[in-house]
Amino acid sequence: MLISTRTNGLSLLRIVGELTIANAADYKKQLLSQLEGASEVEINLSGVSKFDTAGLQLLLMGKREAARMGLVLRLSWHSRAVSEVLELSEMADYFEDLMLPGPAPA
């Protein structure tokens, strides 16, 4: 589930549940929609319980599209599932400029 709020050009997104091949296409549409009209986007990943390479591809696409549109994109409060895939795929450094501290406080 994608929970979103927008205030003064800042779009805050929180992904809750799985970010996998089963739902990546739906999340892609929602993410692209949230990029439109925003000046800044923050994606809170603390609620991601399962994450695979399709989820990784979605984050790659988000970073690319945000850069193309001249937007600021941040990933925040990454869950253990997200951190593990980023480390295993050796993509943590690629996203390092976007990552805020995680995991989320209890």
Side-chain angles (χ1 to χ4, degrees), residues 65-87:
E65 286 301 304
R68 184 185 66 76
M69 298 169 79
L71 305 176
V72 173
L73 174 73
R74 289 188 305 271
L75 305 177
S76 63
W77 307 117
H78 42 290
S79 69
R80 179 180 299 274
V82 173
S83 295
E84 288 175 355
V85 171
L86 291 178
E87 290 297 324

Side-chain angles (χ1 to χ4, degrees), residues 29-56:
K29 292 175 193 171
Q30 294 176 55
L31 176 57
L32 290 173
S33 170
Q34 291 297 315
L35 291 176
E36 292 297 324
S39 57
E40 199 171 342
V41 176
E42 180 176 325
I43 305 173
N44 178 327
L45 299 168
S46 65
V48 176
S49 59
K50 200 170 185 183
F51 186 74
D52 66 10
T53 56
L56 177 59

